[in-house]
Amino acid sequence: MTVFEVWVPEKTVKLRIDGTDRDMERGDDGWWRLDVPDAGPGTDYSYVLTEHDSPLPDPRSKWQPDGVHGPSRVYDHAAYPWSDGAWTGRQLPGSVLYELHVGTFTPQGTFDAAVERLDHLVELGIDMVELLPVNSFNGEYNWGYDGVCWFAPHEAYGGPDGLKRFVDACHQRGLGVVLDVVYNHFGPSGAYAPMFAPYLSSAGANPWGDSVNLDGPESEEVRRYIIDSVLSWLRDYHVDALRLDAVHALVDHNAVHLLEQMAVEVDSLSVHVGRPLALIAESDLNDPKLITPRAATGYGLDAQWADDVHHALHTLLTGERQGYYGDFGSLECLETVLTSAFFHAGTWSSFRRRNHGRPVDRTRVPGHRFVAYLQNHDQIGNRAIGDRLSATLSPGLLKIGATLLLTSPFTPMLFMGEEWAASNPWQFFTSHPEPELAEAVQTGRRREFASHGWAETEVPDPQDPATFQRSKLDWSELGKPGHAEILDLYKRLITLRREHTDLTDPRLDKVEVWHGDQYVVMRRGRCLVAANLAAVPQTVSLKAVPSKVLLATEPGVVLQRDRVELPAETAVVVYAR
């Protein structure tokens, strides 16, 4: 027997099964319910609103086998034969993350195909795999941020069972799973939930669509909708952590913010399932309140992305200064982010034309609460042609960037293919079936980059299937000259990070950085990291007596009394007495 339930506070609704409409009973809480004894798992169903004759999918659908416009299908979470009973979870502190997009990680673009590449991640030394959003969206392929069904995995990837097989396989290999989720807006096509109830706010919109109703009339059920989705991914799919997209776009004026409420309920679930669960925010606010414990009046999230670390590294390595990169690029800036995470911390932002951010308390906030990266889906895919660092940087500078990231006090994250300097771009792609929406995306993308000086002919058409195909990883590159060398360095760096506790010490106030003419040195306990960014050799002061070289990105490093001779574009990690 299946109990069908749907929240429709101001309209009448019927359940449709096998072409027959069935009356439902309305409760005082605005929920309509009906028990159907013969509707077991696999039964297709939809709802019909009085003001809309066409059948609509369930806003809480667990399975959309025919896409976001089709009927929902009854799915029984308890029926899946999990084999990860011995899995005790993975702590975020000390972990190395790996971000991937299911559709472009392999030629097949499915959960099952991704499983076949997990051993590569284990050999690399990855601890947690972070998936870009996988809940249902319209079309076959997409970045995932246009999702409209917040409980149902995308069918083209493998649907609910496919995601469970992927998580199960990760856990069997000792890999945790982080899932990227989007609760700040619904996608532009197939968002039927707002037709049932006031899921959207009348207060305004964000850059991606209408804001979600978190604090207006009837908002309690909307908040419950989001938190139930959060709990479902963690409980029903055994996911270990969630990355919350653009939380600065969650407009909530309640005394208890949605993020705090979310953290409380996830902590409770963690106790129930007996394994650590984490929430990681993406935020444009540079506000440590997100990761401040609730006992200290924070929201109590476990970590947040640290864009300022990326910007500091990217601009220093590439020399780019356009747009929001304008304030970054100096060695002083790099020193600030390596010791404090935020560059803008109550300081002037020329891009925003105002002061931005708040300082991090380096004595109380551990570095592992900041997820740092050289590259990610946004910082590659939102470039006009989706070019990776490997398209412009020399091998020497690529190695320096990897060394600084993986010896930093933060939780490092790699973007798929970064570890072997993948040569393919990762571009913005969509597959909207609606001609009007497709044209709007094409036009908007070209206008956006024209304002940054890119010619329209240089911006790939997001709707062109070739744009999607170009973004797929070429796994044949792993053993090729140049690529294999970078891969070996990433493996050695991750191993070194794990072997030396000084390199995973999260105390920001224990990080010391100094710099000179195109060189920088970072001290992490007895481990010193020195990088020569110049195109000529340099002798760099270590302010300590090195005893041995732990890792060098190139041969030719020479240790002296309290200094080291570095070849051009070289980084070294040394151990000091």
Side-chain angles (χ1 to χ4, degrees):
M1 181 178 72
T2 298
V3 179
F4 292 90
E5 300 177 291
V6 62
W7 180 50
V8 189
E10 298 177 353
K11 301 176 183 178
T12 301
V13 62
K14 293 186 178 183
L15 172 70
R16 179 172 294 182
I17 296 180
D18 295 331
T20 302
D21 291 349
R22 308 188 186 197
D23 292 332
M24 305 183 74
E25 183 176 347
R26 186 188 190 282
D28 294 338
D29 55 1
W31 281 84
W32 297 72
R33 298 175 176 87
L34 180 65
D35 296 352
V36 183
D38 58 345
T43 300
D44 286 351
Y45 70 99
S46 54
Y47 293 112
V48 180
L49 298 172
T50 50
E51 299 175 3
H52 194 282
D53 292 335
S54 299
L56 303 175
D58 185 352
R60 287 176 172 252
S61 172
K62 300 173 185 175
W63 192 4
Q64 288 296 124
D66 298 317
V68 299
H69 301 296
S72 301
R73 182 167 293 175
V74 176
Y75 181 82
D76 181 11
H77 279 298
Y80 183 81
W82 287 98
S83 60
D84 67 347
W87 176 249
T88 56
R90 176 70 70 181
Q91 293 279 2
L92 189 64
S95 291
V96 177
L97 277 55
Y98 187 95
E99 187 185 34
L100 68 86
H101 176 264
V102 174
T104 52
F105 186 57
T106 65
Q108 301 91 335
T110 64
F111 293 124
D112 290 334
V115 168
E116 298 175 7
R117 294 293 180 179
L118 291 179
D119 290 341
H120 164 77
L121 302 186
V122 174
E123 293 171 6
L124 177 60
I126 297 302
D127 299 292
M128 303 185 78
V129 182
E130 180 168 325
L131 301 178
L132 268 68
V134 301
N135 55 298
S136 295
F137 53 81
N138 194 29
E140 182 180 355
Y141 52 84
N142 189 296
W143 275 19
Y145 296 90
D146 287 334
V148 292
C149 298
W150 292 357
F151 294 78
H154 189 53
E155 187 67 16
Y157 291 163
D161 280 0
L163 176 57
K164 290 182 177 181
R165 287 192 297 269
F166 178 84
V167 175
D168 215 0
C170 284
H171 289 173
Q172 290 169 19
R173 291 164 173 80
L175 296 168
V177 179
V178 183
L179 182 61
D180 196 340
V181 289
V182 184
Y183 297 123
N184 51 54
H185 75 286
F186 288 96
S189 179
Y192 294 111
M195 297 178 65
F196 287 78
Y199 285 93
L200 298 178
S201 171
S202 60
N206 57 49
W208 309 285
D210 291 332
S211 296
V212 177
N213 176 23
L214 301 179
D215 56 8
E218 308 287 352
S219 60
E220 287 304 315
E221 284 292 353
V222 179
R223 295 166 73 94
R224 190 72 254 160
Y225 177 75
I226 293 173
I227 291 177
D228 284 351
S229 170
V230 165
L231 299 179
S232 177
W233 297 121
L234 297 169
R235 179 192 60 238
D236 301 326
Y237 289 93
H238 293 201
V239 167
D240 301 282
L242 299 180
R243 181 262 191 188
L244 308 170
D245 180 68
V247 298
H248 51 270
L250 298 172
V251 180
D252 183 4
H253 297 100
N254 283 290
V256 178
H257 193 280
L258 176 72
L259 294 175
E260 182 180 355
Q261 182 182 351
M262 196 182 293
V264 169
E265 298 209 26
V266 169
D267 283 351
S268 177
L269 179 62
S270 177
V271 173
H272 177 71
V273 299
R275 57 187 171 89
L277 302 173
L279 294 174
I280 306 167
E282 182 207 18
S283 173
D284 186 43
L285 301 176
N286 277 23
D287 188 353
K289 182 176 183 178
L290 297 172
I291 53 175
T292 299
R294 293 189 298 279
T297 69
Y299 291 160
L301 302 183
D302 299 276
Q304 66 181 94
W305 277 26
D307 271 350
D308 282 12
V309 177
H310 166 271
H311 298 347
L313 287 168
H314 181 92
T315 52
L316 188 64
L317 294 169
T318 66
E320 294 183 3
R321 299 291 188 276
Q322 75 275 14
Y324 51 75
Y325 290 151
D327 295 334
F328 298 83
S330 67
L331 287 166
E332 291 79 9
C333 169
L334 182 63
E335 176 184 352
T336 298
V337 300
L338 288 176
T339 57
S340 306
F342 294 157
F343 180 65
H344 288 304
T347 55
W348 177 258
S349 165
S350 63
F351 177 71
R352 298 172 180 84
R353 300 180 66 184
R354 60 171 172 80
N355 289 341
H356 181 64
R358 175 186 291 181
V360 171
D361 186 339
R362 298 173 60 231
T363 64
R364 296 188 179 185
V365 181
H368 63 67
R369 293 200 182 278
F370 300 95
V371 176
Y373 31 82
L374 271 175
Q375 303 178 77
N376 63 32
H377 74 277
D378 269 332
Q379 302 301 338
I380 300 173
N382 281 326
R383 295 172 65 81
I385 58 174
D387 50 321
R388 298 169 178 262
L389 285 177
S390 54
T392 53
L393 292 187
S394 66
L397 291 178
L398 282 176
K399 294 175 182 178
I400 288 175
T403 302
L404 291 173
L405 173 69
L406 288 166
T407 59
S408 75
F410 311 117
T411 297
M413 184 180 74
L414 315 182
F415 182 70
M416 61 178 197
E418 172 188 335
E419 71 274 22
W420 75 77
S423 61
N424 68 296
W426 199 76
Q427 299 176 328
F428 182 71
F429 47 81
T430 55
S431 58
H432 297 301
E434 301 91 342
E436 300 82 4
L437 183 55
E439 183 178 358
V441 170
Q442 293 165 337
T443 302
R445 193 75 176 171
R446 287 169 177 160
R447 285 177 179 171
E448 176 185 355
F449 287 108
S451 64
H452 287 81
W454 294 84
E456 286 194 10
T457 55
E458 294 181 284
V459 182
D461 180 358
Q463 285 285 123
D464 185 347
T467 304
F468 173 61
Q469 292 298 326
R470 277 193 299 271
S471 300
K472 288 180 177 282
L473 285 177
D474 178 3
W475 286 90
S476 70
E477 290 184 333
L478 266 72
K480 293 181 179 179
H483 299 290
E485 183 182 1
I486 297 292
L487 178 59
D488 177 67
L489 175 67
Y490 270 84
K491 288 180 179 179
R492 289 191 291 135
L493 281 166
I494 294 173
T495 298
L496 185 68
R497 181 182 180 87
R498 187 164 288 122
E499 290 176 345
H500 290 269
T501 56
D502 285 339
L503 295 178
T504 51
D505 187 340
R507 292 175 295 178
L508 294 175
D509 60 329
K510 298 296 182 181
V511 181
E512 185 182 1
V513 177
W514 60 93
H515 49 83
D517 185 16
Q518 296 190 71
Y519 74 81
V520 62
V521 181
M522 173 173 56
R523 180 160 193 158
R524 308 286 317 283
R526 291 192 173 185
C527 292
L528 290 101
V529 185
N532 176 20
L533 296 140
V536 296
Q538 288 203 82
T539 299
V540 174
S541 171
L542 296 176
K543 299 183 181 179
V545 178
S547 60
K548 61 179 177 179
V549 173
L550 299 176
L551 179 146
T553 60
E554 299 292 346
V557 171
V558 178
L559 295 182
Q560 299 177 354
R561 284 186 181 178
D562 60 349
R563 55 197 62 232
V564 60
E565 289 185 14
L566 292 176
E569 297 184 351
T570 300
V572 65
V573 183
V574 302
Y575 191 77
R577 292 193 292 270

